[in-house]
């Protein structure tokens, strides 16, 4: 009932840019992973911040949930409308507003994807490096504090969002941060909304830090005799402070998956995929130093290439790796884990994970952004098989417990969403009371993305 | 009365580590700048987190203010007990708890100063690079989101605090962040308390990111024909992405001051002081590229030196620059400004500042961390002269208005404190309502550092 009245009020604001069709609702209520579909009551397509503010005001007046939607690539069910409500699809707010090449920054709308942004930046000599793999929207990436393959060199969204415009839960609009590189002015609201998963407000604009496109780039793959050797090579590389632009791990099963998916023809062994950025001389020096490090760990096949086509093929494969892993059990889905540990504990954590997977009798490739201590097990499951799902969740919990005992975190980059709400409490203890107090202060009606982050 | 009861309760916890002596109170109620003294009712010297929690609980029970105190080097009156209360001096909580050389991190207590920390790290080959000039405490630096000379290369406290332990306003203890490099788990509480200026809780432990001591370091000074040339050289340097470790500006008057204070014998012209970190070859390459850039701006006297004694002398001079500036009017004090603007607007902002100072008939050297777009005017005033203070505050306001109109911030690194509360509102508008809501949620009794940040 409240949904109906709200929807008719929304129609007066958005005219045809609101949809309640079965198709639209179901397109926006799905998930890339194992979560059951939960379609919203309506999907709206705003074009301006004012419209977003109006939408939120109407929803607030009717007590209707508001769920932000970027590219739908979240892995923790962030966009599921578990309590119904209005899905705010930002696909029409996808413009680059201003490139400031002198200040190495860009203002964008939240719906633009990282690939589109970098396409628009190409001619400027600048780039936005954060790369979670999926072609996510920038608003979504900020909301989940995303990172990915290049964080080891360029940092995460936390490090690369300078400022935001945000619509609060009552429809008021604020600006956080400034165009300056740094600020000590008041509480860090940019950091507050970066990673808030749409539970405190909707991001309607972002100012992002840009980086120069590297003068030279080279990439390489290398195979290791076993997982330990590969991970220990990573630890040594980090400790030698080689400024890797990317350093990705695939275990043997992940290699099998990408071989099958992308016809890579790699030996079925643990691999590292790496990239170097710098001057011509710098890249050569980095590659040489890295080559020396991995030699000690029995690496083979290391052969770096500066050819763009080789690099493109390599990273296209890596970006498809999640779908390649799903391909190991066609028609099934996955519970995706995302622990991040201090780098010194990485070998131990990965070994523990492989053992836990095997003990549970699951099929699950392991891969990740190991330079940050972050890795994923893709626990392949049959969604129809409740017992298998239970086993997968148990492994996921074991991994997190292990990570927390090592001083790590339950999620390095995917966020809490629906999948890790109990782990939030396990990780932060009384800190969750602080988070709840903030949520209560800023969204007392609990309309912003309910059923996510807090149970 | 409530103070008396609280103090006797505190004595039972701290025995002799509480002081109500005139000397102790007045030592802790002063300010490095123009703020009038405001001593606390008592000064306590806790040695453990449990003691800090007990102190806060007792103060909460009696509604007594709690003011954190590190090294007392704040420039915005952060430690003044404007509403009385208990000053929590962290000087006895100044230990390094654990160096994790494999993870490039360190756990410390908040009272340790940055110089002591780096002394303890020296043998490990690691360093904590954030350098605000003063020998501040790490807890204080985190609380004001400090930065300084090296932020252009290594970032600010925001970028270098990985985790914290915090005593909340009701005495509960939480841990924020983890030992992992990144996390997407819940609201970013580390960022919340970093820069909260003690208004939400007291930091009792920090995990800091460390960096390798550079293999090679070189430093240099160079003189420019005028201010515009110096600042435009900085803009070009930043845009050429030369990875400067430090790039500091002194205007002619600041050069006069340091000449007098440290017998530097520099030509009385605008100067840049710079430092390069890297490999031997890298440092040479950076210095050469920088030399080429500044040549176009008429720089003279550029002569880089890798001799440690030359570098030490240079940065000792820079670190004393504030006191050197005060020496231009012995016995007087200063209103210190701290705007930060997008680097592309820096020349304009500095020129505007010089004109505003001259128009107001004030004596005020300009200097700053120009690689970030951050600079300070040291507006020298006679604290007894109310009219002069008014003129100085007017210039400070004009500078901030100008900075905000350029997309900058009122404070790059000193924080709001008592001096910039009205500017907080001017900068953030409705964003301040969000900050107030958070303050209300986490410190409903308003005992944490009252009279700071919010008026």
């Amino acid at each position: 009932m409240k949904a109906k009245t709200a929807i008719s009020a929304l129609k007066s604001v958005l005219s045809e840019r609101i949809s309640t069709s079965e198709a639209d609702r179901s397109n926006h209520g799905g998930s890339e992973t194992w979560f059951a579909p939960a379609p919203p009551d309506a999907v709206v397509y705003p074009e301006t911040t004012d419209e977003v503010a109006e939408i939120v005001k109407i929803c607030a007046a009717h007590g209707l949930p508001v769920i932000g939607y970027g590219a739908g690539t979240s892995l923790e069910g962030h966009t599921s409308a578990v309590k119904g409500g209005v899905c705010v699809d930002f696909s029409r707010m996808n413009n680059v507003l201003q490139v400031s090449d002198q200040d190495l920054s860009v203002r964008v709308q939240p719906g633009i994807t990282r690939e589109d942004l970098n396409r628009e930046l190409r001619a400027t000599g600048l780039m936005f490096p954060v790369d979670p793999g999926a072609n996510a929207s920038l608003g979504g990436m900020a909301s989940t504090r995303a990172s990915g393959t290049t964080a080891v060199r360029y940092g995460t969204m936390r490090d690369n969002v300078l400022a935001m415009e945000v619509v609060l839960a009552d429809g008021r609009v604020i600006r956080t941060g400034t165009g300056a590189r740094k600020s000590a002015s008041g509480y860090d609201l940019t950091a507050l909304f970066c990673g808030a998963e749409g539970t405190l407000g909707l991001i309607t604009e972002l100012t992002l830090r840009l980086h120069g496109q590297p003068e030279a780039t080279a990439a390489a793959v290398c195979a290791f005799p076993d997982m330990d050797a590969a991970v220990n090579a990573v630890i040594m590389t980090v400790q030698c402070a080689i400024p890797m632009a990317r350093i990705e791990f695939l275990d043997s099963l992940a290699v099998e998956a990408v071989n099958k998916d992308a016809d890579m023809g790699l030996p079925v062994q643990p691999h590292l995929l790496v990239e170097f950025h710098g001057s011509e001389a710098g890249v050569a020096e980095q590659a040489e130093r890295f080559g020396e490090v991995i030699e000690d760990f029995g690496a083979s096949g290391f052969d770096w290439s500066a050819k763009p086509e080789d690099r493109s093929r390599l990273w296209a494969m890596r970006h498809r790796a999640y779908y390649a892993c799903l391909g190991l059990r066609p028609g099934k889905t996955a519970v995706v884990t995302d622990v991040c540990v201090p780098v010194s504990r990485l070998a131990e954590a990965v070994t523990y994970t492989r053992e836990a997977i095997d003990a549970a009798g699951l099929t699950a490739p392991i891969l990740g952004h190991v330079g940050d201590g972050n890795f994923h097990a893709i626990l392949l499951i049959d969604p129809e098989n409740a017992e298998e799902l239970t086993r997968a969740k148990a492994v996921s919990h074991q991994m997190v417990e292990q990570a927390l005992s090592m001083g790590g975190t339950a999620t390095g980059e995917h966020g809490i969403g629906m999948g890790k709400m109990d782990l939030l409490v396990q990780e932060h203890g009384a800190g969750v009371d602080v988070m709840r107090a903030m949520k209560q202060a800023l969204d007392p009606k609990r309309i912003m993305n309910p059923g996510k982050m807090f149970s």
Side-chain angles (χ1 to χ4, degrees), chain A residues 76-412:
Chain A
E76 291 295 349
H78 285 103
T79 54
S80 290
V82 278
K83 311 213 168 190
V86 174
C87 173
V88 182
D89 181 317
F90 283 102
S91 57
R92 288 177 181 232
M93 289 176 72
N94 66 343
N95 293 307
V96 171
L97 299 175
Q98 191 186 9
V99 180
S100 304
D101 54 352
Q102 289 204 308
D103 291 312
L104 307 180
S105 68
V106 65
R107 282 199 305 128
V108 301
Q109 291 185 304
I112 192 168
T113 64
R114 62 170 188 88
E115 287 178 5
D116 283 348
L117 172 58
N118 279 314
R119 203 168 295 125
E120 295 221 25
L121 290 173
R122 198 164 293 161
T124 64
L126 300 171
M127 64 174 188
F128 183 72
V130 183
D131 172 11
N135 189 20
S137 71
L138 269 298
M141 286 167 65
S143 289
T144 52
R145 218 183 291 136
S147 43
T149 56
T150 58
V152 64
R153 171 73 165 264
Y154 298 98
T156 72
M157 288 304 283
R158 182 191 201 264
D159 308 304
N160 287 287
V161 179
L162 292 170
M164 289 180 183
E165 181 187 68
V166 177
V167 173
L168 301 175
D170 58 6
R172 276 178 306 163
V173 180
I174 63 165
R175 284 193 168 268
T176 75
T178 70
R181 278 283 125 160
K182 66 183 192 184
S183 172
S185 175
Y187 302 153
D188 189 342
L189 297 183
T190 304
L192 175 67
F193 289 99
C194 188
E197 306 186 2
T199 63
L200 299 176
L202 292 176
I203 300 167
T204 49
E205 193 187 300
L206 305 104
T207 304
L208 304 169
R209 189 170 188 147
L210 299 177
H211 300 257
Q213 290 166 15
E215 193 186 313
T217 303
V221 296
C222 44
F224 289 82
D226 55 46
M227 204 166 64
D228 248 31
V231 175
N232 284 318
V234 173
I235 296 176
M236 186 54 76
T237 303
V238 170
Q239 281 162 9
C240 292
I242 304 176
M244 306 300 289
R246 286 173 158 133
I247 182 161
E248 296 285 309
F249 169 76
L250 300 183
D251 79 348
S252 301
L253 190 53
V255 168
E256 247 184 81
V258 300
N259 274 346
K260 204 169 142 191
D261 180 73
D263 199 17
M264 292 299 289
L266 297 173
V268 180
Q269 280 173 259
H271 273 73
L272 294 181
L273 322 182
V274 297
E275 190 165 274
F276 310 98
H277 291 175
S279 63
E280 297 284 352
V283 160
E285 191 203 338
Q286 289 170 44
E288 200 174 306
R289 284 179 64 201
F290 178 72
E292 284 164 19
V293 167
I294 59 173
E295 208 179 275
D296 291 344
F297 296 91
S300 57
F302 177 62
D303 183 20
W304 58 280
S305 163
K307 281 192 212 152
E309 59 275 25
D310 290 351
R311 279 192 288 118
S312 300
R313 183 148 176 265
L314 180 65
W315 298 115
M317 172 270 272
R318 173 61 188 90
H319 287 156
R320 278 195 49 77
Y322 175 57
Y323 304 101
C325 290
L326 289 180
L328 290 174
R329 283 189 77 184
K332 302 297 185 277
T333 182
V335 171
V336 181
T337 71
D338 180 34
V339 295
C340 187
V341 298
V343 169
S344 63
R345 310 298 295 272
L346 189 60
E348 218 179 319
V350 175
T351 301
Y352 176 89
T353 299
R354 172 47 61 208
E355 288 168 1
I357 291 166
D358 293 347
L362 293 167
T363 302
I366 299 174
L367 73 180
H369 319 306
V370 281
D372 303 316
N374 184 205
F375 65 95
H376 313 293
I378 314 295
L379 305 162
L380 297 170
I381 56 152
D382 177 351
E384 310 285 297
N385 184 338
E387 185 275 329
E388 200 172 56
L389 176 60
T390 306
R391 259 188 293 148
K393 283 187 181 174
V395 169
S396 169
H397 271 67
Q398 280 169 267
M399 284 177 67
V400 169
E401 263 165 32
Q402 171 79 352
L404 296 183
S405 78
M406 293 174 165
T409 177
T411 168

